[in-house]
Amino acid sequence: MPRVLLIEDDPSIREGVGLGLRRRGHDVSSAETGEEGLALMGGFRPELVLLDLMLPGINGVQVCRRIRETSQVPIIMLTARGDDFDIVVGLEAGADDYIVKPARTEVIEARIKAVLRRLSDPVGTRPGVEQHGELTIDRAGLSVAKSGERVPLAPSEIKLLLHLSASPEQVFSRQQLLEYVWDHSYHADARLVDACVRRLRTKVEDPDASPRYIQTVRGFGYRFGPL
Amino acid sequence: MRRIAPLGLRTRLIAAFLLVAAISAVTTAALTYQQARNAILKQTQDTAISTLRDQVEQQEFRLPLDQAELQRIVIELGKRGKPHPWIIFGEYGSVRVSTNPGTPTSSVITDNLREKVRRHDYTAFQRVEDARGNPWLTIGVPALFEHNGFSESTGAVFYASVPLSTEKQTVEAMVDAAKQGAVPGLAIAIVPALLAARSVLRPVRDMRRAAQHLGRGRLDTRIEVRGADELAGLARTFNETARALEQSVSELQDAEIRARRFASDVSHELRTPLAGMLAVTEVLDEDAERLDADTAKALRLVSAETGKLAVLVEDLMEISRFDARAAELNLDDVDIAEAVRKTLERRHWVDDRIVAELPDQVRARLDPRRFDVVLANLVGNALRHGGAPVRITVRTAPGEGGERLLIEVADSGPGIAPEVLPHIFDRFFKADAARTRSAGSGLGLAITLENVRLHGGTLLAANGSAGGAVFTLDMPLEARV
């Protein structure tokens, strides 16, 4: 079962969520602070990080950025939903999803599974390497290179890119992307899509030009190309 | 907009000032003119009459008079004209002479005067104007002789025509002076009128502006108090009122902010323990099966109540976000039919309890998450408190400021009691006071209404003609942030 690193300063949540997930067969390791969590990354090698946004010392957003520097491990933010701002900041820092506190273990587990499924079940059946302009997308190896140079992408980013590029020029609504990429059939939140598209663009698009690969279709959603 | 009235306060004030000035100028001039004219004329008149009478009395002549004698007396009298030279006419029977031999009679001596003098044998006078409009004083004096203490008429009558042109000139000069004085006077009166109007109007204008600012919510508006007159008093009162208003509003705001923050803080604080509890409720539920009946019941109760508490806290957070105006719209273009179907599917309301009339090709710009909350709440309420089937009708209609999206959710239940209807959107309102807590938090409809308002729409609750509650959602097809 997946190894989950839980970084959460509040003992009741840490213990409660830890207990719930362990009962469902997850291998959970918990950390009280961001520093402790970062230290555990190497030894524990988690397959997923559950990260609280409000932490003593370095906060969740900073922890998220640090993890993203070295790893493409999926990250789910645990957040106080009241703060729309926090959600967006967390997502822009590189988180793949967010969970609003308080949440039942079944919700947490469903989100964890959805995030992990993204990588084990790539979109489309076409194997091999595709070339789109300067982008090289390796569907089997789950890697993306721009002008021959590898682009490190978070799981949600690569999943989104794979999904869009599987059907070039087809327009997907935010809702469709949420359902395909995030499995969010129950909670429509376009911010996830928008934040992910923004992050993806900073990595694959030319900074000066208008978006070339991931284009906005105003009023409908996004599409890949035409190049 | 300020309406510029044809008779503004300024115009009326100035008009009133000028009217007062004109009335006083004209009255003064008229009275002065009349008094002066009378005085001048009376003096001239008295002098002339007494002079003529004295002169006539002093003349000695024998009767009967002949032409030459009468002419002599007339010339004699003519020399003594006072205060002005006069023209003397003498009449004796049919003999008529004058100092101007060419004109033995004068047109200015009227029959009326002649009649008076002859009938009463007494001095009479009259002011007349000749054909050219020159004023004359005409005096008629009968020549009498004393006889045994009686005066008896000699039959001779002497008339004097005294020109009053000098007096006329004097009076005209006075009228001119009054006229020439009044016009510049009136012109000058405009200056104090303007000043007075300004001194009255400026505070009034200041006050109007201040009242407007106050009305727009700028409660720190104050008026500069000048002087110590009634307007200054009014300004001071205005300032005191504004100060009192500002103070009580700021106290109210502080109290409101405290209350709001308290609700928000409490919800926030409840969330952390709840997050831990909610994560382990399934553990409790699972383990309850293996425990004895009482413990199992207790555990399931704790688990169920924890779930309700979590929903309540979430709703409280949502409400306090609306109260703090921190709720914002994340707008997206949405196919309405698709969005409604999704909402129903997610809640597994896809059986024949729901009848939905969904027109194709209706796209709206709204916050999909909030729209989902609104619709789910209305349909959920209809199912819970009303009764199946629940009918959802979606249509669009032109309205003020663009197309409107109209959604009707009607149930087949008993409808809403009339006394409940006005409170249906109140927070924690329980339709049936005796009823214990329902599955909802009591905030559902309040949150729904806030979500609709955030989109710039309205939500109405009513009873349908066929019974059953009808909720009508009316919001712009294109919501704006």
Side-chain angles (χ1 to χ4, degrees):
Chain A
M1 279 307 249
R3 287 187 303 280
V4 176
L5 173 60
L6 174 62
I7 307 178
E8 165 67 63
D9 62 319
D10 189 272
S12 78
I13 300 179
R14 198 171 60 237
E15 282 165 26
V17 173
L19 183 61
L21 287 177
R22 271 188 210 105
R23 282 287 281 251
R24 286 171 177 267
H26 295 267
D27 185 0
V28 182
S29 190
S30 36
E32 269 183 65
T33 62
E35 291 87 342
E36 197 185 322
L38 286 171
L40 275 172
M41 285 292 293
F44 183 59
R45 286 186 295 107
E47 288 162 77
L48 184 133
V49 178
L50 273 176
L51 179 60
D52 185 17
L53 263 181
M54 309 271 269
L55 287 171
I58 60 170
N59 66 29
V61 174
Q62 289 166 309
V63 174
C64 187
R65 289 214 184 94
R66 295 256 194 105
I67 294 174
R68 275 282 167 268
E69 281 169 14
T70 56
S71 163
Q72 268 91 59
V73 66
I75 300 172
I76 299 179
M77 290 282 189
L78 277 176
T79 153
R81 191 182 90 192
D83 318 327
D84 275 13
F85 178 74
D86 282 349
I87 297 176
V88 174
V89 169
L91 291 173
E92 304 237 316
D96 294 285
D97 201 351
Y98 69 88
I99 297 173
V100 175
K101 289 191 274 189
R104 291 178 184 277
T105 313
E106 56 182 337
V107 173
I108 300 174
E109 197 193 18
R111 296 285 186 99
I112 290 175
K113 279 186 176 164
V115 169
L116 291 174
R117 194 161 53 236
R118 281 171 220 166
L119 290 179
S120 58
D121 177 27
V123 182
T125 50
R126 288 178 294 167
V129 179
E130 291 169 17
Q131 189 72 32
H132 298 278
E134 289 168 0
L135 281 188
T136 313
I137 300 174
D138 180 355
R139 290 188 179 275
L142 293 173
S143 68
V144 174
K146 189 186 177 191
S147 310
E149 203 171 315
R150 183 152 182 210
V151 183
L153 293 176
S156 55
E157 292 157 16
I158 193 162
K159 180 97 182 219
L160 179 66
L161 186 58
L162 290 178
H163 186 74
L164 285 173
S165 62
S167 317
E169 297 186 35
Q170 183 186 332
V171 180
F172 294 96
S173 72
R174 288 184 177 86
Q175 187 62 39
Q176 283 173 320
L177 294 173
L178 270 171
E179 287 174 23
Y180 288 129
V181 181
W182 279 269
D183 273 359
H184 273 213
S185 56
Y186 43 87
H187 186 209
D189 196 336
R191 287 172 299 188
L192 268 175
V193 185
D194 292 338
C196 191
V197 165
R198 267 200 295 278
R199 264 157 38 205
L200 197 51
R201 278 177 176 163
T202 59
K203 290 177 184 175
V204 300
E205 305 280 358
D206 285 326
D208 305 325
S210 56
R212 181 173 166 222
Y213 300 107
I214 299 143
Q215 298 177 359
T216 306
V217 182
R218 180 153 154 59
F220 289 90
Y222 299 101
R223 73 173 172 221
F224 188 84
L227 296 177
Chain B
M1 260 318 276
R2 176 177 151 224
R3 197 172 62 94
I4 300 166
L7 282 177
L9 196 52
R10 176 200 296 271
T11 321
R12 280 186 295 183
L13 270 171
I14 291 172
F17 252 87
L18 290 186
L19 195 64
V20 169
I23 287 172
S24 47
V26 167
T27 313
T28 312
L31 287 174
T32 312
Y33 164 75
Q34 204 179 358
Q35 290 295 323
R37 178 173 172 274
N38 284 350
I40 290 168
L41 288 178
K42 198 168 185 312
Q43 200 195 355
T44 310
Q45 199 170 287
D46 290 352
T47 314
I49 291 168
S50 60
T51 308
L52 184 63
R53 207 163 43 206
D54 290 351
Q55 293 300 325
V56 169
E57 274 171 18
Q58 282 170 21
Q59 292 302 322
E60 290 181 1
F61 48 84
R62 281 180 299 110
L63 291 171
L65 289 165
D66 58 8
Q67 172 93 23
E69 180 67 1
L70 195 60
Q71 184 71 52
R72 182 192 64 78
I73 297 167
V74 162
I75 287 170
E76 191 66 21
L77 288 173
K79 287 177 187 160
R80 302 172 201 274
K82 262 188 192 172
H84 308 296
W86 53 31
I87 304 168
I88 301 290
F89 302 94
E91 292 185 10
Y92 182 72
S94 60
V95 186
R96 297 189 171 189
V97 293
S98 86
T99 43
N100 292 24
T103 56
T105 56
S106 167
S107 57
V108 297
I109 294 166
T110 60
D111 292 341
N112 189 12
L113 182 70
R114 281 204 181 86
E115 181 68 21
K116 266 194 222 167
V117 176
R118 289 206 185 282
R119 184 172 300 169
H120 304 293
D121 280 343
Y122 205 76
T123 310
F125 67 93
Q126 200 175 30
R127 274 206 296 272
V128 292
E129 278 186 5
D130 66 10
R132 281 175 294 178
N134 294 322
W136 294 86
L137 174 68
T138 53
I139 311 162
V141 176
L144 304 173
F145 68 91
E146 299 277 327
H147 176 71
N148 294 338
F150 291 101
S151 292
E152 220 167 284
S153 175
T154 56
V157 180
F158 297 95
Y159 297 97
S161 296
V162 184
L164 290 176
S165 45
T166 318
E167 281 73 15
K168 192 189 176 196
Q169 276 165 16
T170 312
V171 168
E172 272 171 4
M174 275 167 52
V175 171
D176 282 351
K179 265 192 213 157
Q180 283 161 7
V183 172
L186 282 180
I188 291 166
I190 289 181
V191 175
L194 280 171
L195 286 175
R198 190 176 142 80
S199 72
V200 171
L201 284 180
R202 197 171 49 188
V204 170
R205 247 201 320 266
D206 285 354
M207 218 162 297
R208 187 183 64 184
R209 203 178 300 126
Q212 277 172 350
H213 287 172
L214 210 59
R216 290 199 201 102
R218 283 177 51 189
L219 298 178
D220 58 342
T221 308
R222 296 290 181 274
I223 301 173
E224 193 187 330
V225 180
R226 293 190 199 84
D229 55 7
E230 287 85 346
L231 285 168
L234 185 57
R236 217 171 287 124
T237 312
F238 178 92
N239 285 347
E240 279 161 20
T241 311
R243 200 171 296 123
L245 188 67
E246 188 185 15
Q247 198 184 342
S248 51
V249 165
S250 98
E251 277 168 14
L252 276 175
Q253 278 171 344
D254 286 350
E256 199 196 337
I257 288 168
R258 273 199 303 275
R260 206 189 288 151
R261 194 178 297 146
F262 180 73
S264 169
D265 287 350
V266 166
S267 316
H268 222 102
E269 286 306 312
L270 282 173
R271 204 138 63 152
T272 305
L274 263 176
M277 284 159 74
L278 207 60
V280 296
T281 48
E282 292 143 71
V283 178
L284 294 181
D285 285 340
E286 282 169 20
D287 287 1
E289 292 166 15
R290 290 184 305 234
L291 297 168
D292 67 275
D294 276 1
T295 316
K297 204 174 166 187
L299 283 184
R300 289 207 176 94
L301 193 69
V302 168
S303 169
E305 292 299 302
T306 306
K308 283 185 190 168
L309 196 56
V311 172
L312 174 62
V313 166
E314 218 30 67
D315 284 353
L316 275 175
M317 289 297 297
E318 187 74 4
I319 277 282
S320 57
R321 264 196 294 280
F322 280 116
D323 286 353
R325 303 194 200 290
E328 46 183 58
L329 286 175
N330 288 296
L331 296 180
D332 203 355
D333 283 86
V334 172
D335 183 307
I336 292 296
E338 187 67 21
V340 174
R341 266 195 290 276
K342 281 260 153 63
T343 298
L344 298 179
E345 273 168 27
R346 271 171 221 146
R347 272 100 183 158
H348 308 293
W349 292 330
V350 282
D351 45 32
D352 53 7
R353 288 180 301 164
I354 311 277
V355 185
E357 282 175 37
L358 304 173
D360 290 335
Q361 305 298 325
V362 176
R363 292 193 74 86
R365 188 160 178 77
L366 43 76
D367 185 328
R369 188 176 67 83
R370 295 188 187 280
F371 183 71
D372 175 68
V373 168
V374 167
L375 199 66
N377 207 290
L378 292 180
V379 176
N381 261 343
L383 287 173
R384 201 177 312 128
H385 301 300
V390 172
R391 182 172 289 276
I392 305 170
T393 321
V394 175
R395 62 197 173 89
T396 57
E400 282 175 39
E403 283 278 299
R404 311 282 298 182
L405 172 65
L406 299 170
I407 299 181
E408 219 173 74
V409 178
D411 64 46
S412 312
I416 309 166
E419 67 271 19
V420 171
L421 214 45
H423 306 288
I424 195 99
F425 294 110
D426 289 0
R427 295 169 187 186
F428 297 115
F429 181 76
K430 295 286 191 289
D432 180 2
R435 202 178 63 196
T436 48
R437 285 186 304 127
S438 63
S441 65
L443 290 170
L445 275 178
I447 290 175
T448 305
L449 180 62
E450 294 287 0
N451 273 318
V452 173
R453 280 190 187 147
L454 201 60
H455 282 90
T458 55
L459 184 58
L460 288 177
N463 284 315
S465 51
V470 180
F471 284 85
T472 310
L473 168 79
D474 176 353
M475 60 187 226
L477 208 54
E478 298 246 328
R480 284 181 185 83
V481 177

